[in-house]
Every structure is written in C-alpha cells, then in structure tokens.
Amino acid sequence: MKHPLLIIVAVVLIPVACSVKENRMDCPCTLDVSVTGGNESIVTLSMWNPELRHSCDISVGDGWDRHLISVPRGQFRLSACSGLRHDMPGNGILLLKRGEEMDELFAGVENLLALKDSAECSVTLHKQYAQIGMKLLCLRSVELPDSIVVRGNVDGMKLTEMKPHNGDFEVKLHTVLGEFCRVCVPRQTDSSLELEVGDLGTVPLGEYIADSGYDWSREDLPDMEIVIDLLENKIEIKAEDWVESRSLNLII
C-alpha cells in the first residue's frame, strides 16, 4: 500500500513540471556557471536581452567557484559584478550622479545560449576602476583650499559591453592632514581628467597620467599614487604594479 503522504507530494509536483509535449521554452534552464576574479564574496549575475530579464546573487569563494542556478530560457548577455553599490540598472548602464565616485567594481560579460534543459558558462571578473591617491605638496597646508574638485568625461559604465559611458564626472574631495586625498574613477576613454585646486589652478591630471604610460585599456586597472609638488613644479605618478614612479614637469 502506498503511503498517503507520497501520493500528496506527487500530486503537488506534477503541475510545476514540464512534460515532453509542452513548449519547453517556458521551462527553466539549469545553468552551470563558474565565476573567477573579484574581491568580494557576493557576485550579482544578470541576464540581458536587451533589457534586464533576470538577476540573482550568488556567494563565491576565493579565486574560483561554481554554481547551479535556475534561469529563464533564451539567448542572453550574461554579466557578473562584484562591488556594485548602485542598484542594478534595467538598461545595463551604470550612471554616476554628480558628486559620486565610481563603485569598486569587478565585472565580466559573456554570451549565454540557454535554450535547452541545461547550459554552461564561465565568467571572469576584471577590475573596472582605479583608486587614485594624491598628495599635494605646498609651502603651507593653509594655502590649500578646503576642497578640491576632480572632473572628467566618463560618468559610468555599460555593463553589457564592459565599456565606459561618456558623460560629466565631478567629485569634490576633502584633504586629510592638509595634503592627502583619494578618488575612485571609472575606466577612462581620453585624457580629460583634471584636478581643480582652488585658486592655485587646474592640473590636467589625465594628460599627465597618459604621459606617464598608464594604460586605461588594461583588463584589470591598477590603482595609482600621485604626488603633485607645487614647490618644485613636478608631478610623480606610480601605478601599483610599477617598480618606480615616473616624474614629469608640472605646469598649471
């Protein structure tokens, strides 16, 4: 004799299963996804066609992790992000408001064909921002303004293409101990970054960064430290993976 509870469970499960005769495009696909890279334990997976169709968070381990998740069927662009502080944008464009720094974002994107019962995909996350630490040397700290302003022509990122988004970027920074400040900027497309130091003038920061040899097209952007010496009229730039800093004449 069959147990009554087993019969009840079977009856409950039948309506949610897909039979062979049904249109299986309405059934979910089991995605076997592996994610590498990033520096946080939570990764947001999002599927686009062309708007956002599905999004979920997964918990990953150090260096490499693999998950089985249920996703809609279809042909998508699959993005994976860690460090995203903004809400996931429905159109795939992360836009920074005036005054906002870039998220400390690691991201990657792949094409996903999820038309059958199961699919596989591997995504590698790459560093899409640069932390710029700056030290301003002046005769007296009181000569520096209470705040300085960083401006540029990139205001975010297209998550489905892994490309910068062009727009006005402006962040007001406050110095620490009278001479230190830091800003997080998105991947750049040109040399437009500039640093407005009150009445002392405007430093064409992007041009000096370009002249130093820093490459904004690298898959993983290194952070950099910059010393702006207003006494000796020079600027020193050092990316985190450089052995030595590079010194340039400063003209403002």
Side-chain angles (χ1 to χ4, degrees):
M1 178 177 179
K2 295 183 179 179
H3 196 287
L5 179 60
L6 296 179
I7 296 175
I8 293 173
V9 171
V11 171
V12 171
L13 290 179
I14 286 174
V16 300
C18 288
S19 69
V20 175
K21 295 181 181 180
E22 288 183 86
N23 179 3
R24 298 188 64 81
M25 285 301 295
D26 294 330
C27 303
C29 169
T30 299
L31 176 62
D32 182 349
V33 58
S34 62
V35 179
T36 57
N39 62 355
E40 296 195 6
S41 60
I42 299 299
V43 171
T44 300
L45 298 178
S46 301
M47 300 166 61
W48 315 83
N49 184 18
E51 300 294 312
L52 181 63
R53 301 301 182 190
H54 180 75
S55 186
C56 64
D57 291 340
I58 60 174
S59 179
V60 299
D62 293 334
W64 183 87
D65 213 338
R66 186 172 178 176
H67 292 265
L68 295 176
I69 59 175
S70 181
V71 300
R73 296 199 186 201
Q75 189 169 352
F76 305 101
R77 289 284 279 176
L78 175 71
S79 70
C81 302
S82 73
L84 183 67
R85 298 293 176 259
H86 288 75
D87 293 335
M88 181 61 67
N91 62 358
I93 301 176
L94 168 61
L95 285 180
L96 306 173
K97 296 178 182 178
R98 188 177 297 270
E100 289 185 329
E101 298 183 46
M102 178 61 175
D103 295 1
E104 296 183 13
L105 181 70
F106 286 77
V109 67
E110 294 290 342
N111 291 321
L112 173 63
L113 193 63
L115 299 177
K116 299 182 180 180
D117 290 345
S118 61
E120 295 182 0
C121 188
S122 298
V123 188
T124 301
L125 308 185
H126 293 286
K127 188 168 176 284
Q128 306 295 333
Y129 69 95
Q131 284 276 11
I132 304 177
M134 290 175 282
K135 180 178 182 180
L136 290 86
L137 301 180
C138 198
L139 186 60
R140 299 189 310 272
S141 60
V142 293
E143 292 183 355
L144 292 175
D146 293 334
S147 64
I148 59 178
V149 179
V150 176
R151 295 188 179 90
N153 290 335
V154 176
D155 66 350
M157 181 178 179
K158 301 175 184 178
L159 297 176
T160 57
E161 302 176 32
M162 295 292 105
K163 294 181 179 179
H165 183 270
N166 293 328
D168 294 333
F169 176 84
E170 182 176 306
V171 178
K172 181 180 291 187
L173 306 177
H174 296 277
T175 57
V176 179
L177 300 177
E179 58 183 16
F180 297 98
C181 58
R182 184 173 294 272
V183 64
C184 187
V185 301
R187 187 182 297 275
Q188 300 292 296
T189 58
D190 56 23
S191 302
S192 65
L193 278 179
E194 61 181 25
L195 183 70
E196 182 183 298
V197 192
D199 295 335
L200 297 177
T202 299
V203 179
L205 198 60
E207 295 180 14
Y208 287 116
I209 292 173
D211 290 344
S212 74
Y214 186 91
D215 184 3
W216 289 105
S217 67
R218 289 180 57 172
E219 281 190 322
D220 292 278
L221 293 176
D223 295 336
M224 66 185 93
E225 297 293 332
I226 298 177
V227 177
I228 300 172
D229 191 337
L230 300 173
L231 296 173
E232 301 292 336
N233 290 325
K234 66 179 182 179
I235 181 170
E236 290 189 3
I237 300 174
K238 186 179 187 300
E240 61 182 338
D241 56 352
W242 293 355
V243 176
E244 297 179 346
S245 61
R246 299 171 188 179
S247 181
L248 302 165
N249 292 327
L250 176 64
I251 301 176
I252 59 174

mmCIF file of all heavy atoms in Angstrom, residues 131-162:
data_model
loop_
_atom_site.group_PDB
_atom_site.id
_atom_site.type_symbol
_atom_site.label_atom_id
_atom_site.label_comp_id
_atom_site.label_asym_id
_atom_site.label_seq_id
_atom_site.Cartn_x
_atom_site.Cartn_y
_atom_site.Cartn_z
ATOM 1 N N GLN A 131 41.668 53.479 -8.092
ATOM 2 C CA GLN A 131 41.778 54.375 -6.956
ATOM 3 C C GLN A 131 43.006 55.253 -7.177
ATOM 4 O O GLN A 131 44.107 54.756 -7.381
ATOM 5 C CB GLN A 131 41.944 53.582 -5.655
ATOM 6 C CG GLN A 131 40.668 52.944 -5.138
ATOM 7 C CD GLN A 131 39.836 53.920 -4.306
ATOM 8 O OE1 GLN A 131 40.107 55.124 -4.276
ATOM 9 N NE2 GLN A 131 38.823 53.401 -3.635
ATOM 10 N N ILE A 132 42.800 56.550 -7.161
ATOM 11 C CA ILE A 132 43.911 57.495 -7.318
ATOM 12 C C ILE A 132 44.147 58.191 -5.981
ATOM 13 O O ILE A 132 43.311 58.970 -5.519
ATOM 14 C CB ILE A 132 43.618 58.542 -8.412
ATOM 15 C CG1 ILE A 132 43.300 57.865 -9.748
ATOM 16 C CG2 ILE A 132 44.799 59.482 -8.571
ATOM 17 C CD1 ILE A 132 42.937 58.838 -10.858
ATOM 18 N N GLY A 133 45.267 57.875 -5.364
ATOM 19 C CA GLY A 133 45.657 58.557 -4.143
ATOM 20 C C GLY A 133 46.561 59.722 -4.489
ATOM 21 O O GLY A 133 47.496 59.574 -5.279
ATOM 22 N N MET A 134 46.285 60.885 -3.920
ATOM 23 C CA MET A 134 47.046 62.088 -4.273
ATOM 24 C C MET A 134 47.604 62.764 -3.029
ATOM 25 O O MET A 134 46.939 62.849 -1.996
ATOM 26 C CB MET A 134 46.166 63.061 -5.059
ATOM 27 C CG MET A 134 45.832 62.583 -6.456
ATOM 28 S SD MET A 134 44.682 63.679 -7.325
ATOM 29 C CE MET A 134 43.124 63.218 -6.567
ATOM 30 N N LYS A 135 48.828 63.244 -3.163
ATOM 31 C CA LYS A 135 49.466 64.044 -2.126
ATOM 32 C C LYS A 135 49.862 65.373 -2.749
ATOM 33 O O LYS A 135 50.547 65.402 -3.774
ATOM 34 C CB LYS A 135 50.695 63.330 -1.569
ATOM 35 C CG LYS A 135 51.423 64.097 -0.477
ATOM 36 C CD LYS A 135 52.609 63.294 0.062
ATOM 37 C CE LYS A 135 53.312 64.045 1.187
ATOM 38 N NZ LYS A 135 54.472 63.287 1.721
ATOM 39 N N LEU A 136 49.407 66.456 -2.158
ATOM 40 C CA LEU A 136 49.697 67.796 -2.673
ATOM 41 C C LEU A 136 50.705 68.483 -1.763
ATOM 42 O O LEU A 136 50.434 68.671 -0.570
ATOM 43 C CB LEU A 136 48.422 68.641 -2.766
ATOM 44 C CG LEU A 136 47.419 68.227 -3.846
ATOM 45 C CD1 LEU A 136 46.480 67.148 -3.338
ATOM 46 C CD2 LEU A 136 46.609 69.425 -4.322
ATOM 47 N N LEU A 137 51.845 68.798 -2.306
ATOM 48 C CA LEU A 137 52.893 69.462 -1.546
ATOM 49 C C LEU A 137 52.867 70.949 -1.835
ATOM 50 O O LEU A 137 52.927 71.379 -2.986
ATOM 51 C CB LEU A 137 54.262 68.889 -1.910
ATOM 52 C CG LEU A 137 54.448 67.384 -1.671
ATOM 53 C CD1 LEU A 137 55.846 66.952 -2.073
ATOM 54 C CD2 LEU A 137 54.183 67.036 -0.213
ATOM 55 N N CYS A 138 52.754 71.746 -0.764
ATOM 56 C CA CYS A 138 52.685 73.191 -0.903
ATOM 57 C C CYS A 138 53.515 73.815 0.213
ATOM 58 O O CYS A 138 53.959 73.126 1.142
ATOM 59 C CB CYS A 138 51.233 73.650 -0.823
ATOM 60 S SG CYS A 138 50.965 75.306 -1.479
ATOM 61 N N LEU A 139 53.756 75.124 0.127
ATOM 62 C CA LEU A 139 54.583 75.796 1.125
ATOM 63 C C LEU A 139 53.979 75.667 2.518
ATOM 64 O O LEU A 139 54.668 75.364 3.481
ATOM 65 C CB LEU A 139 54.751 77.278 0.760
ATOM 66 C CG LEU A 139 55.711 78.081 1.647
ATOM 67 C CD1 LEU A 139 57.113 77.483 1.577
ATOM 68 C CD2 LEU A 139 55.737 79.545 1.205
ATOM 69 N N ARG A 140 52.680 75.891 2.607
ATOM 70 C CA ARG A 140 51.978 75.716 3.872
ATOM 71 C C ARG A 140 50.638 75.073 3.569
ATOM 72 O O ARG A 140 50.006 75.373 2.554
ATOM 73 C CB ARG A 140 51.741 77.064 4.575
ATOM 74 C CG ARG A 140 53.010 77.812 4.934
ATOM 75 C CD ARG A 140 52.671 79.031 5.821
ATOM 76 N NE ARG A 140 51.589 79.841 5.252
ATOM 77 C CZ ARG A 140 51.801 80.832 4.386
ATOM 78 N NH1 ARG A 140 53.017 81.096 3.944
ATOM 79 N NH2 ARG A 140 50.786 81.543 3.936
ATOM 80 N N SER A 141 50.201 74.185 4.449
ATOM 81 C CA SER A 141 48.927 73.496 4.217
ATOM 82 C C SER A 141 47.761 74.476 4.125
ATOM 83 O O SER A 141 46.756 74.199 3.479
ATOM 84 C CB SER A 141 48.662 72.474 5.331
ATOM 85 O OG SER A 141 48.590 73.124 6.589
ATOM 86 N N VAL A 142 47.887 75.644 4.793
ATOM 87 C CA VAL A 142 46.779 76.604 4.747
ATOM 88 C C VAL A 142 46.612 77.180 3.353
ATOM 89 O O VAL A 142 45.589 77.801 3.059
ATOM 90 C CB VAL A 142 47.009 77.741 5.764
ATOM 91 C CG1 VAL A 142 46.941 77.204 7.189
ATOM 92 C CG2 VAL A 142 48.335 78.444 5.517
ATOM 93 N N GLU A 143 47.613 77.009 2.482
ATOM 94 C CA GLU A 143 47.487 77.512 1.122
ATOM 95 C C GLU A 143 46.546 76.646 0.288
ATOM 96 O O GLU A 143 46.057 77.063 -0.751
ATOM 97 C CB GLU A 143 48.854 77.581 0.452
ATOM 98 C CG GLU A 143 49.780 78.637 1.047
ATOM 99 C CD GLU A 143 51.093 78.721 0.300
ATOM 100 O OE1 GLU A 143 51.287 77.895 -0.610
ATOM 101 O OE2 GLU A 143 51.912 79.579 0.612
ATOM 102 N N LEU A 144 46.308 75.415 0.734
ATOM 103 C CA LEU A 144 45.411 74.538 0.002
ATOM 104 C C LEU A 144 43.964 74.856 0.375
ATOM 105 O O LEU A 144 43.663 75.153 1.528
ATOM 106 C CB LEU A 144 45.707 73.075 0.329
ATOM 107 C CG LEU A 144 47.055 72.548 -0.172
ATOM 108 C CD1 LEU A 144 47.278 71.133 0.320
ATOM 109 C CD2 LEU A 144 47.134 72.598 -1.690
ATOM 110 N N PRO A 145 43.049 74.785 -0.594
ATOM 111 C CA PRO A 145 41.644 75.044 -0.291
ATOM 112 C C PRO A 145 41.057 73.923 0.560
ATOM 113 O O PRO A 145 41.633 72.843 0.669
ATOM 114 C CB PRO A 145 40.997 75.092 -1.685
ATOM 115 C CG PRO A 145 41.892 74.252 -2.536
ATOM 116 C CD PRO A 145 43.285 74.476 -2.011
ATOM 117 N N ASP A 146 39.893 74.195 1.162
ATOM 118 C CA ASP A 146 39.235 73.175 1.971
ATOM 119 C C ASP A 146 38.852 71.961 1.140
ATOM 120 O O ASP A 146 38.770 70.845 1.644
ATOM 121 C CB ASP A 146 37.984 73.752 2.641
ATOM 122 C CG ASP A 146 38.341 74.801 3.685
ATOM 123 O OD1 ASP A 146 39.464 74.729 4.226
ATOM 124 O OD2 ASP A 146 37.501 75.676 3.938
ATOM 125 N N SER A 147 38.578 72.162 -0.125
ATOM 126 C CA SER A 147 38.210 71.050 -1.007
ATOM 127 C C SER A 147 38.804 71.267 -2.391
ATOM 128 O O SER A 147 39.066 72.396 -2.800
ATOM 129 C CB SER A 147 36.684 70.922 -1.107
ATOM 130 O OG SER A 147 36.129 72.071 -1.702
ATOM 131 N N ILE A 148 39.025 70.166 -3.085
ATOM 132 C CA ILE A 148 39.471 70.215 -4.470
ATOM 133 C C ILE A 148 38.492 69.392 -5.303
ATOM 134 O O ILE A 148 37.746 68.564 -4.768
ATOM 135 C CB ILE A 148 40.914 69.693 -4.625
ATOM 136 C CG1 ILE A 148 41.011 68.250 -4.135
ATOM 137 C CG2 ILE A 148 41.897 70.566 -3.863
ATOM 138 C CD1 ILE A 148 42.393 67.658 -4.299
ATOM 139 N N VAL A 149 38.483 69.616 -6.600
ATOM 140 C CA VAL A 149 37.478 69.001 -7.462
ATOM 141 C C VAL A 149 38.155 68.210 -8.570
ATOM 142 O O VAL A 149 39.095 68.698 -9.211
ATOM 143 C CB VAL A 149 36.546 70.069 -8.077
ATOM 144 C CG1 VAL A 149 35.517 69.413 -8.993
ATOM 145 C CG2 VAL A 149 35.847 70.858 -6.974
ATOM 146 N N VAL A 150 37.666 66.976 -8.796
ATOM 147 C CA VAL A 150 38.119 66.150 -9.911
ATOM 148 C C VAL A 150 37.001 66.101 -10.948
ATOM 149 O O VAL A 150 35.840 65.837 -10.599
ATOM 150 C CB VAL A 150 38.470 64.722 -9.454
ATOM 151 C CG1 VAL A 150 38.852 63.850 -10.648
ATOM 152 C CG2 VAL A 150 39.611 64.750 -8.451
ATOM 153 N N ARG A 151 37.341 66.359 -12.201
ATOM 154 C CA ARG A 151 36.359 66.323 -13.279
ATOM 155 C C ARG A 151 36.857 65.440 -14.415
ATOM 156 O O ARG A 151 38.068 65.256 -14.581
ATOM 157 C CB ARG A 151 36.082 67.726 -13.830
ATOM 158 C CG ARG A 151 35.433 68.676 -12.838
ATOM 159 C CD ARG A 151 35.010 69.966 -13.528
ATOM 160 N NE ARG A 151 34.354 70.894 -12.602
ATOM 161 C CZ ARG A 151 34.996 71.813 -11.889
ATOM 162 N NH1 ARG A 151 36.329 71.957 -12.044
ATOM 163 N NH2 ARG A 151 34.343 72.601 -11.067
ATOM 164 N N GLY A 152 35.914 64.899 -15.192
ATOM 165 C CA GLY A 152 36.270 64.080 -16.345
ATOM 166 C C GLY A 152 35.095 63.887 -17.272
ATOM 167 O O GLY A 152 34.003 64.439 -17.034
ATOM 168 N N ASN A 153 35.288 63.104 -18.320
ATOM 169 C CA ASN A 153 34.265 62.894 -19.350
ATOM 170 C C ASN A 153 33.661 61.493 -19.340
ATOM 171 O O ASN A 153 33.004 61.100 -20.298
ATOM 172 C CB ASN A 153 34.855 63.159 -20.743
ATOM 173 C CG ASN A 153 35.145 64.631 -20.975
ATOM 174 O OD1 ASN A 153 34.533 65.498 -20.352
ATOM 175 N ND2 ASN A 153 36.087 64.913 -21.864
ATOM 176 N N VAL A 154 33.895 60.721 -18.280
ATOM 177 C CA VAL A 154 33.306 59.381 -18.163
ATOM 178 C C VAL A 154 32.502 59.330 -16.868
ATOM 179 O O VAL A 154 33.048 59.541 -15.784
ATOM 180 C CB VAL A 154 34.384 58.282 -18.167
ATOM 181 C CG1 VAL A 154 33.742 56.912 -17.954
ATOM 182 C CG2 VAL A 154 35.158 58.287 -19.477
ATOM 183 N N ASP A 155 31.196 59.048 -16.983
ATOM 184 C CA ASP A 155 30.321 59.071 -15.812
ATOM 185 C C ASP A 155 29.743 57.711 -15.459
ATOM 186 O O ASP A 155 28.716 57.611 -14.780
ATOM 187 C CB ASP A 155 29.186 60.072 -16.017
ATOM 188 C CG ASP A 155 28.228 59.662 -17.136
ATOM 189 O OD1 ASP A 155 28.538 58.702 -17.879
ATOM 190 O OD2 ASP A 155 27.157 60.302 -17.263
ATOM 191 N N GLY A 156 30.382 56.639 -15.923
ATOM 192 C CA GLY A 156 29.877 55.314 -15.587
ATOM 193 C C GLY A 156 30.344 54.260 -16.557
ATOM 194 O O GLY A 156 31.389 54.391 -17.202
ATOM 195 N N MET A 157 29.521 53.203 -16.689
ATOM 196 C CA MET A 157 29.960 52.045 -17.465
ATOM 197 C C MET A 157 28.763 51.297 -18.043
ATOM 198 O O MET A 157 27.708 51.178 -17.403
ATOM 199 C CB MET A 157 30.764 51.112 -16.550
ATOM 200 C CG MET A 157 31.300 49.882 -17.228
ATOM 201 S SD MET A 157 32.264 48.882 -16.085
ATOM 202 C CE MET A 157 32.692 47.527 -17.183
ATOM 203 N N LYS A 158 28.929 50.794 -19.265
ATOM 204 C CA LYS A 158 27.928 49.940 -19.890
ATOM 205 C C LYS A 158 28.232 48.495 -19.491
ATOM 206 O O LYS A 158 29.178 47.882 -19.992
ATOM 207 C CB LYS A 158 27.973 50.094 -21.416
ATOM 208 C CG LYS A 158 27.733 51.517 -21.895
ATOM 209 C CD LYS A 158 27.918 51.621 -23.407
ATOM 210 C CE LYS A 158 27.785 53.054 -23.876
ATOM 211 N NZ LYS A 158 28.021 53.184 -25.343
ATOM 212 N N LEU A 159 27.427 47.953 -18.587
ATOM 213 C CA LEU A 159 27.727 46.642 -18.012
ATOM 214 C C LEU A 159 27.605 45.514 -19.030
ATOM 215 O O LEU A 159 28.269 44.486 -18.893
ATOM 216 C CB LEU A 159 26.795 46.374 -16.835
ATOM 217 C CG LEU A 159 26.921 47.341 -15.642
ATOM 218 C CD1 LEU A 159 25.866 47.021 -14.594
ATOM 219 C CD2 LEU A 159 28.315 47.272 -15.052
ATOM 220 N N THR A 160 26.766 45.671 -20.030
ATOM 221 C CA THR A 160 26.584 44.609 -21.017
ATOM 222 C C THR A 160 27.690 44.599 -22.075
ATOM 223 O O THR A 160 27.796 43.652 -22.845
ATOM 224 C CB THR A 160 25.224 44.740 -21.722
ATOM 225 O OG1 THR A 160 25.132 46.039 -22.325
ATOM 226 C CG2 THR A 160 24.091 44.560 -20.733
ATOM 227 N N GLU A 161 28.479 45.656 -22.124
ATOM 228 C CA GLU A 161 29.552 45.755 -23.117
ATOM 229 C C GLU A 161 30.929 45.891 -22.486
ATOM 230 O O GLU A 161 31.947 45.833 -23.190
ATOM 231 C CB GLU A 161 29.305 46.958 -24.033
ATOM 232 C CG GLU A 161 27.970 46.928 -24.770
ATOM 233 C CD GLU A 161 27.747 48.192 -25.582
ATOM 234 O OE1 GLU A 161 28.735 48.770 -26.080
ATOM 235 O OE2 GLU A 161 26.582 48.619 -25.705
ATOM 236 N N MET A 162 30.979 46.118 -21.174
ATOM 237 C CA MET A 162 32.240 46.357 -20.469
ATOM 238 C C MET A 162 32.977 47.556 -21.073
ATOM 239 O O MET A 162 34.188 47.538 -21.281
ATOM 240 C CB MET A 162 33.140 45.118 -20.494
ATOM 241 C CG MET A 162 32.603 43.929 -19.744
ATOM 242 S SD MET A 162 32.533 44.161 -17.947
ATOM 243 C CE MET A 162 30.758 44.418 -17.703
#
